[in-house]
Amino acid sequence: MTKKKENIFDFVLFKRLFQYIKPYKLTFTSLCFLVLLLAGIGAATPYLTKDAVDKGIELNKPETFLFYIIIMLAALILQTIFQLVFIYYASWLGQSLVKDVRIKLFNHLLRFKMKYYDNSSVGVLITRSVTDMERIADIFGQGLFMIFRDMLAMVVVFMVMIYIDWRLSMIVFVMLPVLVYATRLFQKYMKIAFEEVRTEVSNLNSFVQERITGMKILQLFTREKIEHENFKEINERHKKGWLKTIWYNSFFFPIPDLASSIVIGLVAWYGGIKTIEGTDIQGTLIAFIMYIPMLFRPLRQMADKFNTLQMGMVAAKRVFRVLDTTSQIDDKGTLVAEHFKGEIKFNNVHFSYVEDENVLKGISLTVNAGDTVAIVGATGAGKSTIINLLNRFYEINEGAILIDGIDIREVTLASLRTQIAVVLQDVFLFADTILNNITLNHPEITEEQVQQAAKEIGIHDFIMSLPNGYHYNVKERGVMLSSGQRQLISFLRAYVTNPSILVLDEATSSVDSYSEQLIQNATDKITKGRTSIVIAHRLATVKKADKIIVMDSGNIVEQGTHVELLKKKDGYYKNLYEVQFLQEEAVI
């Protein structure tokens, strides 16, 4: 099988990226005009030097020489000003463009299914959203326009040199094909190297992000030495990737300098012979010696800028790969749920996280409006999956989920989730104030409403006991609070939204007795008068439930009240009660 030839530059990808320039057409056009001006002014300086020598020095006319010096000074000042404006707005354009792409990417990420995040590395997504975006900005700030400027400067210099003396020009141009070939070869290998570098950067970011997040586990299980060795290995691969690019740079960059020096020597030799023969070419010789670096140096600079361009294109390719991923929940519902009565039905629902590995195996259940239903069962029975499906974090494989007789797929996703509040076992808090963690910056929820809600469920005093009260910053993931305190914040977060349906993954095994009492009081308050589904971990919640659903291996094996289920001889719930809940009651 023949390997498909890979282009050095992906024009299709660049064309797609170029679409984001449309809002900034005026800036882009102005930059192109500045490139033309800079190329013209740059090529004019050696020509003015030639005329200053030929018409001023050789003809012994000091005033003419002074005139050319003033013109050259003015050209230098203009070139400096234009260069400053050019560099600033090229970078401005790059940052403006990447701002738009980053917003689009983040908005895209916000709508992915949970399944996408189950299979994706957080570190890689952070790399796409931050580091890769900066590389895309460099395409315009340090790559594209710089290459265009250098190429145009070379063309103008090439034309002026032929106009001045075509014979000397031939000496110079004989070296150009070699440099052009070397440049293209360099670009080809650099693209491959940068692909490898971006991969290793993503791997490194993923590794570091995961280890820092799980630092407590690493230290608890004394994994420091092992992880240190793992980090050394992945860091070594990262270093080798960069060293490969450095090797290519080190090999290529001296070539233009060597070629320039050789050509200057040949021109000086030829000019010296002509001068000895009596030909008056001093001004032309000086101009050519100035022009040669202007012709050869851009080749080196273009190779360097092409590195930047290649890295940006590699980054753009990876970002667009995420943007092209279609992993959103199918939000085609037309009904806007303003309020649910709260009747929930699962009709023969099948679901699997992994294909052909069913987690729910055709379950059917009914939760009456206003009832509190407790779900019990062993780990992996499918209890938390019911929460995920009710909120449409995942799509069911078969069957239907109805609320008030309406298939939840017919309801808009936003309104569905607004009416269902969830308190998870693993509480996530942002590095922000308690108030913002409760309201999640919802503009219609005021601090007064939050305080009133906190008083109603009995946790206002706990919050006010913290420094700055509701404005206490809990830091990243809420590390400044205990697990019980974080759970209380999550209860209040759910309560202030006044949901029609409440789902609780009620876990208090790791909280102190004071927090547990507050959580129990909060549970009683927020479940009162609304449909509630509780993954029950405590006997008190199980006893109070209007219905208990017992699950095992993705099936509902028993349903009924606490008393009804205890009457079943050798029943699953009765066994669970005797093994787990009675032990809890004995401790209490």
Side-chain angles (χ1 to χ4, degrees):
M1 182 182 291
T2 58
K3 188 177 180 181
K4 184 180 178 181
K5 184 178 179 181
E6 188 173 2
N7 294 326
I8 294 174
F9 188 80
D10 192 336
F11 286 98
V12 175
L13 179 64
F14 182 76
K15 182 179 179 182
R16 181 176 180 183
L17 187 63
F18 202 76
Q19 299 298 314
Y20 289 90
I21 288 181
K22 287 182 178 180
Y24 312 103
K25 283 182 179 179
L26 180 60
T27 303
F28 180 79
T29 305
S30 301
L31 286 169
C32 292
F33 180 69
L34 279 174
V35 167
L36 293 171
L37 286 177
L38 287 169
I41 294 173
T45 304
Y47 193 86
L48 291 171
T49 304
K50 169 187 172 298
D51 282 354
V53 173
D54 291 342
K55 299 177 182 180
I57 296 177
E58 291 187 7
L59 297 179
N60 195 22
K61 293 182 178 180
E63 65 281 359
T64 302
F65 182 74
L66 180 61
F67 171 76
Y68 279 108
I69 293 298
I70 293 173
I71 295 298
M72 290 168 62
L73 181 61
L76 182 62
I77 293 172
L78 282 175
Q79 186 180 28
T80 302
I81 294 172
F82 290 153
Q83 187 80 359
L84 177 65
V85 174
F86 171 76
I87 292 173
Y88 174 80
Y89 279 101
S91 298
W92 179 89
L93 179 63
Q95 290 298 327
S96 299
L97 181 145
V98 86
K99 176 203 70 176
D100 296 341
V101 179
R102 184 184 283 122
I103 289 172
K104 184 174 181 179
L105 176 66
F106 187 71
N107 190 47
H108 196 64
L109 290 172
L110 286 173
R111 286 160 174 76
F112 276 154
K113 299 176 185 176
M114 287 300 107
K115 186 175 182 179
Y116 178 85
Y117 294 103
D118 293 341
N119 300 319
S120 300
S121 164
V122 175
V124 169
L125 293 177
I126 290 173
T127 302
R128 300 292 171 267
S129 304
V130 182
T131 310
D132 284 343
M133 288 296 175
E134 291 306 316
R135 300 290 77 78
I136 294 174
D138 289 341
I139 290 177
F140 298 92
Q142 301 178 28
L144 177 67
F145 286 112
M146 303 301 180
I147 292 174
F148 184 37
R149 180 196 63 185
D150 290 342
M151 289 181 66
L152 189 60
M154 288 179 64
V155 170
V156 174
V157 168
F158 178 87
M159 295 171 63
V160 174
M161 290 174 75
I162 291 179
Y163 173 76
I164 293 174
D165 191 319
W166 68 269
R167 294 179 182 84
L168 279 176
S169 299
M170 291 303 103
I171 297 175
V172 176
F173 300 154
V174 74
M175 191 66 72
L176 281 179
V178 177
L179 287 179
V180 170
Y181 175 76
T183 302
R184 286 188 59 81
L185 200 63
F186 172 72
Q187 292 165 354
K188 176 183 176 182
Y189 285 104
M190 284 302 290
K191 181 178 182 181
I192 297 171
F194 282 136
E195 288 275 6
E196 183 178 334
V197 166
R198 297 315 305 160
T199 298
E200 294 305 332
V201 167
S202 296
N203 292 340
L204 187 62
N205 285 347
S206 297
F207 184 91
V208 172
Q209 186 271 333
E210 287 181 351
R211 270 58 185 182
I212 290 177
T213 302
M215 188 59 69
K216 182 181 289 186
I217 298 299
L218 299 184
Q219 294 183 357
L220 279 172
F221 289 89
T222 62
R223 292 273 302 178
E224 294 93 339
K225 186 175 180 180
I226 295 173
E227 294 302 330
H228 176 253
E229 292 302 319
N230 291 339
F231 181 77
K232 282 172 63 177
E233 181 180 340
I234 196 170
N235 204 33
E236 180 67 21
R237 294 201 304 269
H238 178 263
K239 182 194 76 172
K240 287 180 178 178
W242 273 111
L243 285 178
K244 191 176 291 185
T245 68
I246 293 170
W247 163 249
Y248 293 148
N249 283 325
S250 301
F251 183 79
F252 172 78
F253 281 170
I255 295 177
D257 292 337
L258 178 62
S260 178
S261 299
I262 292 172
V263 172
I264 288 175
L266 291 173
V267 168
W269 169 76
Y270 178 81
I273 291 176
K274 288 297 181 182
T275 302
I276 292 171
E277 291 176 353
T279 305
D280 191 14
I281 63 166
Q282 285 87 343
T284 300
L285 196 60
I286 292 173
F288 263 71
I289 291 174
M290 295 176 67
Y291 275 131
I292 289 168
M294 293 177 66
L295 189 65
F296 282 66
R297 191 183 306 119
L299 278 173
R300 171 176 175 172
Q301 290 175 344
M302 279 195 294
D304 191 24
K305 299 306 177 185
F306 202 87
N307 290 350
T308 302
L309 186 61
Q310 289 281 41
M311 288 195 72
M313 294 299 288
V314 169
K317 184 177 180 181
R318 294 172 183 269
V319 169
F320 284 132
R321 189 178 298 147
V322 178
L323 284 171
D324 291 338
T325 301
T326 54
S327 185
Q328 289 81 4
I329 290 289
D330 186 11
D331 188 14
K332 293 183 179 179
T334 57
L335 300 177
V336 178
E338 296 182 358
H339 182 74
F340 287 132
K341 293 179 181 178
E343 183 189 60
I344 302 171
K345 286 187 178 181
F346 278 61
N347 290 338
N348 192 34
V349 172
H350 294 256
F351 173 75
S352 59
Y353 291 103
V354 180
E355 191 174 355
D356 297 328
E357 294 182 16
N358 287 335
V359 177
L360 298 184
K361 304 171 183 178
I363 69 168
S364 295
L365 64 90
T366 299
V367 179
N368 296 323
D371 280 0
T372 296
V373 172
I375 303 177
V376 300
T379 301
K383 304 186 299 295
S384 295
T385 300
I386 289 179
I387 296 176
N388 291 331
L389 297 181
L390 188 62
N391 281 275
R392 291 195 68 196
F393 287 138
Y394 300 85
E395 294 282 33
I396 61 177
N397 300 342
E398 187 181 332
I401 301 174
L402 310 176
I403 298 180
D404 295 346
I406 301 171
D407 193 313
I408 61 173
R409 287 170 291 198
E410 298 178 11
V411 181
T412 62
L413 200 58
S415 65
L416 173 70
R417 291 176 179 172
T418 299
Q419 292 303 314
I420 303 174
V422 180
V423 179
L424 296 172
Q425 179 178 349
D426 183 18
V427 179
F428 187 94
L429 298 182
F430 296 93
D432 205 336
T433 64
I434 286 180
L435 178 64
N436 288 339
N437 268 289
I438 293 168
T439 66
L440 296 176
N441 296 305
H442 195 297
E444 296 180 6
I445 302 177
T446 65
E447 183 173 351
E448 290 72 23
Q449 289 175 311
V450 172
Q451 291 188 19
Q452 180 60 36
K455 290 174 183 177
E456 289 175 6
I457 65 174
I459 65 173
H460 174 73
D461 292 340
F462 141 66
I463 295 175
M464 293 305 296
S465 69
L466 299 171
N468 299 321
Y470 288 86
H471 298 279
Y472 178 63
N473 193 310
V474 299
K475 305 300 180 183
E476 187 173 2
R477 300 183 70 89
V479 294
M480 301 304 292
L481 301 178
S482 69
S483 58
Q485 290 171 331
R486 291 196 295 272
Q487 195 80 347
L488 289 169
I489 297 300
S490 70
F491 270 84
L492 184 53
R493 177 194 284 170
Y495 186 61
V496 295
T497 62
N498 192 29
S500 303
I501 298 170
L502 184 69
V503 181
L504 303 178
D505 192 349
E506 183 219 34
T508 57
S509 58
S510 59
V511 303
D512 57 84
S513 56
Y514 174 71
S515 295
E516 183 174 355
Q517 184 59 49
L518 288 177
I519 290 173
Q520 180 58 47
N521 294 338
T523 301
D524 294 341
K525 178 64 180 179
I526 68 176
T527 57
K528 186 177 180 181
R530 59 168 54 89
T531 304
S532 303
I533 298 177
V534 184
I535 296 179
H537 298 266
R538 294 181 296 120
L539 179 61
T541 303
V542 176
K543 282 184 174 180
K544 292 178 182 178
D546 297 297
K547 181 193 288 186
I548 300 170
I549 296 174
V550 186
M551 297 191 67
D552 181 40
S553 302
N555 295 296
I556 296 176
V557 293
E558 293 176 352
Q559 295 187 58
T561 64
H562 174 69
V563 175
E564 291 171 348
L565 293 176
L566 285 181
K567 292 179 180 178
K568 291 188 176 184
K569 186 178 180 181
D570 298 325
Y572 190 101
Y573 176 79
K574 184 178 181 181
N575 179 62
L576 183 68
Y577 172 79
E578 292 173 349
V579 172
Q580 178 180 335
F581 293 137
L582 279 181
Q583 290 181 1
E584 177 191 327
E585 194 172 39
V587 171
I588 295 173

